[in-house]
Amino acid sequence: MSAYLDRLNAAQREAVEATDGPVLVLAGAGTGKTRVLTTRFAHILLTRRAFPSQILAVTFTNKAAREMRERVASLLGQPAEGLWLGTFHALAARMLRRHAERVDRTSNFSILDPDDQLRLLKQVMEARRMDTRRFTPQGLMSTIQRWKDRALLPDSVPGDQDIDWGAESARDLYAAYQDRLRALNAMDFGDLLLLATDLLKRDPEVLADYHRRFRYILVDEYQDTNLVQYYWLRLLAQAHKNICCVGDDDQSIYSWRGAEIENILRFETDFPGAKIVRLEANYRSTAPILAAASGLIAHNEGRLGKTLHPGRNDAEGERVEVLGFWDSDEESRFVAGRIEALRRDAHKLAECAVLVRAGFQTRAFEERFIAIGMPYRIVGGLRFYERAEIRDAIAYLRVLAQPADDLAFERIVNVPKRGLGDTALRTIHERSRADGVPLAEAAARIAAAGTLRGRARDGLRDLLAGFAAWRETLRRDGHVTALATLLDESGYVAMWQDQKSPDAAGRLENLKELVRALADFETLEGFLDHVALVMDNDNEADDDKVFLMTLHAAKGLEFDTVFLPGWEEGVFPNQRSLDEGGAKSLEEERRLAYVGITRARQRAIISHCANRRIYANWQSSVPSRFIEELPEDSISVGGSAALAREQRLAAPPVFAAATPLLARRGADEWNTQARPPRADKIAPGTRVFHQKFGYGIVLDTDDDRLDIEFDSAGEKRVLDRFVERA
């Protein structure tokens, strides 16, 4: 009966057999946490400590839930029925359907998808005659979801966390949105855990029912929980306290979506007498890879502490390579060449991964792979030229180059919003068909005739005048300047700057990378031909492809060979993260580096460049501070990296919370070349205006950085050259 325990190592077995009382299993990368969790589940059932329906098992993804269900069934030798096993949201929804009347719903309530949520919130805002172009529903929804992740109902949002959204209070709009959801017998995803937690807090009868029901609670990926998930679990665990949380504080990398690393760090405080079991035997990676990852993460202060060591006898292997290159083009050529060499040695492409910090970095690798005919797949996102913002920008370029391109004109005529709704577009199409001319020419005739009225008329005239001016810029200054000017003057950049959604900053980075890509081509036509060929190079049936993805998307995956490019200050660690989060964000960036290194089974190659191109201008960079934190006996430094490392060590110390390297160049702003340092200093208490964040009050100053409390965007740290006195 105990044969299933014999397959575990000592630490894993200790975690499985410690069934009573609170247990925290600190499971390092590749240490078998899924095996521990599923074996513990089966062990509780096989030792008759509980019936299947008396165990609550919580995961973050449906895939993880299915895998746990299958493994438990395999250990039991029969299907596992009657389980409360699923994602946080699925289990919370199951609870709410059982007690729907207690949260002012009926049991058949609808769960709205993100599009429906935004449409409903827009209706709430329009009912108050708000300008939803300036004060976007997307930005307000992000604020509301953050409050829900923190278990805050409208009446419990603290006054100092409320913000003005136009002439309205965000908290009041949140309350009105919740009223509309209630009237529609609907919930959004944030409501599922929010209302389930609120129900358990205010209804002792319901809470007591679940205390009787669940004798044991198992939680996967505990380091990724947000506050409302934390409160929900704590309420359910109050009675028996038989809660086992499995997680890795060194892999907490999702603070941007609400995860609180403090949840796992304070486990012993929340559950006095808790047993801590550390899984440190790694069965994935070689000894040098583990030594490099452990040495790097040891620089973090906010961690419970563990050191990975090889769990296999054959764990000796190559040192982690650290390579320096002159520029990103040389870097991408090297990576593609190394993969080609590995393939010639019978290494599968699908066992190679290129992991980048930001999505814009994929373009150089995509184009190199396409140039040499190497199959690749993007994970967790679109190919560079398939992204919506890139398609929009290219549509603008197509109209610039060829005014008769109707498909491109139709795509961008009302992007950003210019008041050209369905009626205006129908008018343009009718005139085009009647006169037998392209849409752009039909639009020009309509604008000259004054057929449209109001905002639609003005918007169309402005767009046509813009294209006339941009074609002159193209003729006079070239295609790179033309695109940069077009994106600014069309309002397209401002549209994304006004967005408060988490992906808006990444979209702006992608647009910068597109402008930089344009500099590689002598003419606009040559670039557009290149893009058409790239888009035509579609997926083949072959599944043996190189993986290309961000570090965030790589969590949970593993590969024989991992390339980690772009380890430069400002790129990784990411400058924007440091500016906004300081030392706390730096630790999360370091955890992200740890995750990247531990994806590798046999070899990890870290690289950095001495130069990166912003628009058409080269800018020098220095290696990431993470490189000098790697233990020297686990890495081999090659190429120009050795010299760069000496330069990095000889450079002045970098402030841990926010390196000034890219900040001095304004890399977090759209136009990096147009803003010199300001001569007049701004004092605390000054009211200022920022193009991206709006109006605010300066709270404190630090050299050329300002801590500002913005009316709509909250507290931010920005460079003084990017604000004006209001």
Side-chain angles (χ1 to χ4, degrees):
M1 179 150 178
S2 63
Y4 61 94
L5 295 174
D6 296 337
R7 296 194 291 268
L8 307 175
N9 65 32
Q12 291 172 338
R13 183 160 183 163
E14 181 184 5
V16 167
E17 293 185 313
T19 52
D20 297 325
V23 178
L24 176 62
V25 181
L26 290 175
T31 58
K33 74 174 180 65
T34 305
R35 169 177 286 190
V36 166
L37 204 59
T38 53
T39 305
R40 181 183 173 89
F41 197 127
H43 180 69
I44 291 171
L45 296 178
L46 291 169
T47 55
R48 303 186 184 279
R49 285 176 166 84
F51 293 109
S53 61
Q54 293 177 312
I55 302 176
L56 178 70
V58 191
T59 67
F60 267 86
T61 65
N62 290 313
K63 178 183 176 182
R66 285 194 302 273
E67 183 179 357
M68 186 183 296
R69 189 182 300 273
E70 290 166 1
R71 289 201 187 189
V72 169
S74 175
L75 287 170
L76 295 176
Q78 62 185 37
E81 304 293 344
L83 303 180
W84 278 73
L85 190 164
T87 64
F88 278 97
H89 289 97
L91 294 170
R94 184 173 172 182
M95 284 185 175
L96 290 173
R97 292 201 188 278
R98 295 181 73 233
H99 307 285
E101 73 288 349
R102 298 181 187 238
V103 292
D104 297 326
R105 305 291 197 279
T106 61
S107 60
N108 64 340
F109 62 79
S110 301
I111 301 174
L112 301 188
D113 63 27
D115 287 341
D116 288 337
Q117 295 170 27
L118 284 176
R119 193 159 61 249
L120 183 61
L121 184 58
K122 185 177 181 181
Q123 292 173 9
V124 170
M125 297 170 71
E126 289 175 340
R128 301 192 178 202
R129 302 185 181 279
M130 295 184 64
D131 183 353
T132 56
R133 286 172 287 107
R134 184 177 178 190
F135 301 98
T136 63
Q138 292 91 338
L140 179 57
M141 182 60 74
S142 295
T143 298
I144 289 173
Q145 292 303 330
R146 282 198 301 271
W147 283 336
K148 291 186 176 185
D149 287 344
R150 299 183 67 82
L152 297 173
L153 289 158
D155 57 2
S156 59
V157 174
D160 60 357
Q161 291 189 28
D162 192 12
I163 58 175
D164 292 332
W165 205 260
E168 301 285 342
S169 154
R171 181 170 56 183
D172 290 346
L173 291 168
Y174 175 19
Y177 170 68
Q178 292 301 105
D179 289 341
R180 288 287 292 136
L181 285 170
R182 192 178 301 108
L184 293 172
N185 191 36
M187 298 184 191
D188 64 19
F189 281 102
D191 282 329
L192 296 176
L193 277 155
L194 174 69
L195 297 183
T197 301
D198 182 61
L199 174 64
L200 296 176
K201 283 170 60 178
R202 61 180 172 77
D203 197 320
E205 182 181 344
V206 173
L207 181 59
D209 175 54
Y210 286 110
H211 283 167
R212 287 189 295 270
R213 178 181 296 272
F214 300 133
R215 294 181 57 83
Y216 292 92
I217 298 175
L218 306 177
V219 187
D220 192 14
E221 303 286 10
Y222 188 60
Q223 78 281 350
D224 292 334
T225 53
N226 59 31
L227 280 179
V228 72
Q229 291 163 340
Y230 164 79
Y231 292 140
W232 183 73
L233 288 168
R234 281 202 64 186
L235 285 165
L236 291 171
Q238 280 177 355
H240 300 290
K241 293 187 171 55
N242 292 332
I243 181 170
C244 175
C245 295
V246 179
D248 184 0
D249 51 328
D250 292 334
Q251 295 189 72
S252 180
I253 58 174
Y254 296 122
S255 66
W256 48 275
R257 69 183 189 196
E260 295 276 354
I261 189 174
E262 288 79 8
N263 292 351
I264 193 169
L265 296 180
R266 64 174 174 236
F267 188 87
E268 289 180 278
T269 303
D270 292 336
F271 299 99
K275 185 179 186 64
I276 309 295
V277 180
R278 287 173 169 80
L279 304 185
E280 299 174 310
N282 176 285
Y283 295 93
R284 173 190 302 161
S285 306
T286 62
I289 290 172
L290 296 179
S294 296
L296 174 64
I297 200 64
H299 287 80
N300 271 6
E301 295 180 2
R303 62 191 297 258
L304 295 171
K306 63 184 174 307
T307 302
L308 297 181
H309 59 82
R312 310 190 322 255
N313 295 326
D314 59 343
E316 293 304 318
E318 306 171 16
R319 289 188 175 197
V320 174
E321 292 183 65
V322 178
L323 304 175
F325 299 99
W326 176 249
D327 58 30
S328 54
D329 293 336
E330 183 184 358
E331 182 181 52
S332 63
R333 287 196 299 271
F334 163 80
V335 170
R338 176 67 73 88
I339 295 174
E340 280 281 20
L342 289 169
R343 179 160 65 168
R344 287 195 294 271
D345 290 339
H347 191 299
K348 284 185 173 293
L349 292 181
E351 287 300 336
C352 296
V354 182
L355 310 182
V356 297
R357 173 61 182 87
F360 77 88
Q361 293 174 260
T362 67
R363 189 197 64 82
F365 297 100
E366 288 187 67
E367 298 208 344
R368 185 60 188 166
F369 292 162
I370 289 168
I372 66 174
M374 179 175 292
Y376 72 95
R377 60 164 60 88
I378 297 284
V379 175
L382 298 170
R383 294 173 180 240
F384 184 80
Y385 291 111
E386 292 173 347
R387 296 176 168 110
E389 66 276 12
I390 302 302
R391 283 181 174 270
D392 288 343
I394 289 174
Y396 270 105
L397 288 175
R398 285 166 54 189
V399 176
L400 200 62
Q402 176 50 266
D405 191 331
D406 283 355
L407 289 176
F409 182 82
E410 189 172 21
R411 181 182 181 97
I412 54 86
V413 68
N414 200 37
V415 179
K417 299 291 186 183
R418 300 184 175 91
L420 296 164
D422 293 340
T423 302
L425 291 176
R426 186 162 55 249
T427 301
I428 295 173
H429 273 284
E430 290 171 352
R431 182 64 180 265
S432 172
R433 287 193 297 271
D435 293 359
V437 296
L439 291 178
E441 175 61 25
R445 295 181 182 184
I446 287 172
T451 306
L452 299 178
R453 293 287 183 268
R455 185 163 175 263
R457 176 195 60 207
D458 296 340
L460 187 58
R461 285 178 176 173
D462 289 347
L463 178 63
L464 295 172
F467 270 113
W470 302 327
R471 288 192 183 99
E472 176 59 22
T473 302
L474 175 64
R475 184 193 64 77
R476 185 182 64 247
D477 301 324
H479 51 294
V480 176
T481 302
L483 177 58
T485 303
L486 182 158
L487 291 173
D488 274 328
E489 294 182 355
S490 68
Y492 193 77
V493 168
M495 179 185 78
W496 288 114
Q497 288 176 334
D498 290 342
Q499 286 274 7
K500 302 299 188 296
S501 58
D503 64 343
R507 293 181 188 272
L508 287 168
E509 288 180 344
N510 291 337
L511 290 171
K512 292 185 206 176
E513 179 63 16
L514 178 66
V515 177
R516 175 256 176 278
L518 217 60
D520 291 339
F521 297 84
E522 292 185 5
T523 65
L524 176 57
E525 290 74 14
F527 171 75
L528 292 175
D529 287 347
H530 168 75
V531 171
L533 293 172
V534 167
M535 299 293 282
D536 189 52
N537 189 343
D538 211 351
N539 297 326
E540 302 170 359
D542 184 12
D543 283 336
D544 191 28
K545 300 177 182 179
V546 178
F547 283 87
L548 183 55
M549 70 189 89
T550 64
L551 287 158
H552 284 100
K555 186 169 178 291
L557 304 177
E558 56 185 79
F559 307 90
D560 284 347
T561 302
V562 170
F563 294 89
L564 298 161
W567 280 42
E568 300 135 28
E569 286 294 320
V571 177
F572 192 36
N574 180 269
Q575 184 63 46
R576 189 177 66 252
S577 295
L578 298 186
D579 287 343
E580 294 180 357
K584 184 176 180 180
S585 289
L586 175 60
E587 295 217 339
E588 179 155 333
E589 292 286 300
R590 191 176 284 112
R591 291 194 292 271
L592 196 55
Y594 169 87
V595 166
I597 294 172
T598 55
R599 299 311 92 196
R601 286 193 286 257
Q602 296 177 9
R603 59 188 67 84
I605 300 100
I606 296 168
S607 59
H608 62 88
C609 301
N611 301 279
R612 282 201 183 271
R613 193 155 43 183
I614 305 297
Y615 293 156
N617 300 310
W618 287 103
Q619 293 185 353
S620 60
S621 60
V622 294
S624 168
R625 70 191 76 188
F626 297 154
I627 290 177
E628 71 181 57
E629 293 174 354
L630 296 168
E632 292 193 4
D633 57 358
S634 64
I635 65 173
S636 63
V637 180
S640 58
L643 176 60
R645 186 181 177 88
E646 292 176 9
Q647 293 172 339
R648 176 79 174 90
L649 292 172
V654 182
F655 177 52
T659 172
L661 177 71
L662 293 188
R664 282 200 302 271
R665 304 188 184 105
D668 60 337
E669 300 295 334
W670 173 248
N671 190 340
T672 63
Q673 304 301 317
R675 300 176 188 258
R678 69 184 306 136
D680 58 321
K681 295 301 181 183
I682 296 179
T686 305
R687 186 161 180 80
V688 295
F689 176 78
H690 186 281
Q691 287 288 342
K692 180 176 180 181
F693 301 125
Y695 290 95
I697 298 290
V698 177
L699 301 177
D700 198 6
T701 64
D702 176 15
D703 192 22
D704 60 348
R705 297 174 192 79
L706 306 176
D707 292 324
I708 302 175
E709 180 67 38
F710 288 101
D711 298 348
S712 298
E715 188 172 339
K716 303 284 185 184
R717 169 168 282 205
V718 300
L719 294 169
D720 60 7
R721 74 199 69 169
F722 294 104
V723 302
E724 304 168 6
R725 286 181 169 84

